């Protein structure tokens, strides 16, 4: 039997509490290191062993001791993630209460309420907030549905009358269309016949969707002259618990990646995604 303990250790000892990252780079590194600790924790495969991971939490973030003041909100990163129950944001980043400002919505799309929530965080938590992350995940149901509707438009009919579902789907369909064009440009029109095509299109769409949202957030930050806060994207892989973010010049692309700087960089990113090792292996898989 194997046992894994993930423990939140509450303490008011300043020496035991992690300090808030001073800038967006440090915030990104802390999230990457946290995810790495979580992803590799379960790699310990010694039978009969108990593997323990401790997440230090400031007791004062719970308003303790009782005579102290109400805790002040001070997340160092905002994360836009999917509602999927298999992707609990704090847990996969090894973080605790008051560390992350989390917005979760099916398909992690940038709807009006989502953007409003992130704007609130930027405008009100600027003292501690250094980074906004858009986090997709492998096998996302929202993008999978969009791909299936794209490949077989008749599947749209039962969904067309459900306005709330349609709004999630319509945004995702634009991403699927772009992803299809990139795959065809990179591998030729016959790519659509490959057995792994559907899966590759789903995963290309998932990461493109996350990168596009991060790019849009960054544009919004720049337009409103918010400095010191950066946007990044990544995809949580359910199969390995690691984060994947293909980018130009890195065909493996593990960890989080900074949002593309401009439109040209976003176009280059599309090429890098379809040329990444993971998409290639999905395309080559016999299914
Ligand atoms: Zn999802």
């Amino acid at each position: 039997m194997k046992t894994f303990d993930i423990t939140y250790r509450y303490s008011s000892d300043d020496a035991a509490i992690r300090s808030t990252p001073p800038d967006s780079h440090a915030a990104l590194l802390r999230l990457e290191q946290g995810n790495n600790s979580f992803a590799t924790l379960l790699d310990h495969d010694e039978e009969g062993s108990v593997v323990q991971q401790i997440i230090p939490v400031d007791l004062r973030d719970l308003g303790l001791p009782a005579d102290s003041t109400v805790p002040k909100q001070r997340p160092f990163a905002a994360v836009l993630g999917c509602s999927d129950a298999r992707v609990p944001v704090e847990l996969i980043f090894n973080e605790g209460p008051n560390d992350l400002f989390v917005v979760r919505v099916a398909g992690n799309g940038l709807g009006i309420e989502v953007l409003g929530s992130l704007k609130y965080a930027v405008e009100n938590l600027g003292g501690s907030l250094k980074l906004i992350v858009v986090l997709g995940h492998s096998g996302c149901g929202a993008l999978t549905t969009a791909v299936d509707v794209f490949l077989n438009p008749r599947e749209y009919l039962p969904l067309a009358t459900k306005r709330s579902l349609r709004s999630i789907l319509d945004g995702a369909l634009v991403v699927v269309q772009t992803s299809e064009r990139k795959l065809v440009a990179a591998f030729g029109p016959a790519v659509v016949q490959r057995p792994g095509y559907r899966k590759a299109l789903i995963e290309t769409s998932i990461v493109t969707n996350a990168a596009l949202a991060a790019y849009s957030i960054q544009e919004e930050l720049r337009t409103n002259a918010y400095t010191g806060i950066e946007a990044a994207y990544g995809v949580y892989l359910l199969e390995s618990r690691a984060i994947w973010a293909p980018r130009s010049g890195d065909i493996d692309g593990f960890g989080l990646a900074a949002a593309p700087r401009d439109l040209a960089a976003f176009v280059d990113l599309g090429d890098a995604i379809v040329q990444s090792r993971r998409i290639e292996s999905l395309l080559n898989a016999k299914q």
Side-chain angles (χ1 to χ4, degrees), residues 82 84 107 137 140-142:
C82 181
D84 193 300
H137 68 95
C140 183

Side-chain angles (χ1 to χ4, degrees), residues 7-287:
T7 306
Y8 285 106
R9 179 168 291 166
Y10 292 87
S11 156
S12 55
D13 175 7
D14 283 331
I17 305 300
R18 295 184 285 185
S19 56
T20 305
D23 55 34
S24 59
H25 181 67
L28 189 138
L29 282 181
R30 173 157 154 183
L31 289 177
E32 284 189 336
Q33 283 162 2
N35 172 251
N36 193 46
S37 301
F38 174 71
T40 55
L41 177 73
L42 284 79
D43 291 341
H44 297 271
D45 56 1
E46 235 173 90
E47 280 298 321
S49 65
V50 179
V51 181
Q52 191 187 35
Q53 173 114 303
I54 293 167
I55 302 171
V57 177
D58 193 335
L59 200 54
R60 289 160 292 202
D61 283 337
L62 294 182
L64 290 168
D67 59 352
S68 70
T69 51
V70 172
K72 190 172 176 288
Q73 193 175 191
R74 46 161 191 76
F76 69 87
V79 180
L80 166 58
C82 181
S83 304
D84 193 300
R86 296 167 296 180
V87 194
V89 175
E90 276 91 350
L91 188 68
I92 66 163
F93 283 120
N94 228 25
E95 297 294 348
N98 216 357
D99 289 326
L100 303 177
F101 182 93
V102 179
V103 182
R104 287 175 74 176
V105 60
N108 46 273
L110 258 193
I112 194 86
E113 273 94 352
V114 169
L115 202 53
S117 299
L118 292 174
K119 268 190 158 171
Y120 168 83
V122 168
E123 285 169 7
N124 294 281
L125 309 171
S128 63
L129 195 81
K130 305 294 177 211
L131 184 70
I132 300 179
V133 174
V134 182
L135 185 73
H137 68 95
S138 61
C140 183
L143 274 303
T144 300
T145 305
V147 165
D148 287 339
V149 163
F150 177 77
L151 295 176
N152 182 9
R154 259 186 301 183
E155 294 195 15
Y156 189 73
L157 277 180
L159 301 168
T161 50
K162 296 178 179 135
R163 197 167 155 263
S164 50
L165 262 181
R166 223 176 52 206
S167 73
I168 293 178
L169 205 57
D170 289 349
L173 275 168
V174 178
V175 169
V176 175
Q177 221 160 27
T178 311
S179 302
E180 189 239 12
R181 275 204 297 271
K182 285 285 181 187
L183 284 167
V184 168
F187 300 97
V191 70
V192 302
Q193 311 294 341
R194 292 214 212 167
Y197 174 66
R198 174 178 172 272
K199 188 81 197 289
L201 181 57
I202 291 169
E203 296 301 315
T204 301
S205 301
I206 287 168
V207 67
T208 305
N209 183 50
L212 177 63
Y215 171 72
S216 307
I217 290 166
Q218 189 177 259
E219 287 296 295
E220 190 84 21
L221 291 172
R222 201 188 337 225
T223 310
N224 291 295
Y226 293 118
T227 51
I229 302 175
E230 302 283 337
Y233 65 94
V235 173
Y236 176 71
L237 303 180
L238 294 171
E239 49 275 33
S240 63
R241 302 168 304 282
I243 288 169
W244 172 69
R247 61 208 88 170
S248 296
D250 181 357
I251 59 167
D252 286 316
F254 285 103
L256 295 164
R261 288 271 142 226
D262 49 34
L263 206 52
F266 187 73
V267 173
D268 287 348
L269 173 62
D271 296 331
I273 291 170
V274 294
Q275 281 153 16
S276 68
R277 209 190 292 273
R278 182 161 179 264
I279 295 301
E280 196 192 354
S281 76
L282 288 170
L283 269 179
N284 292 334
K286 308 248 179 296
Q287 289 176 6

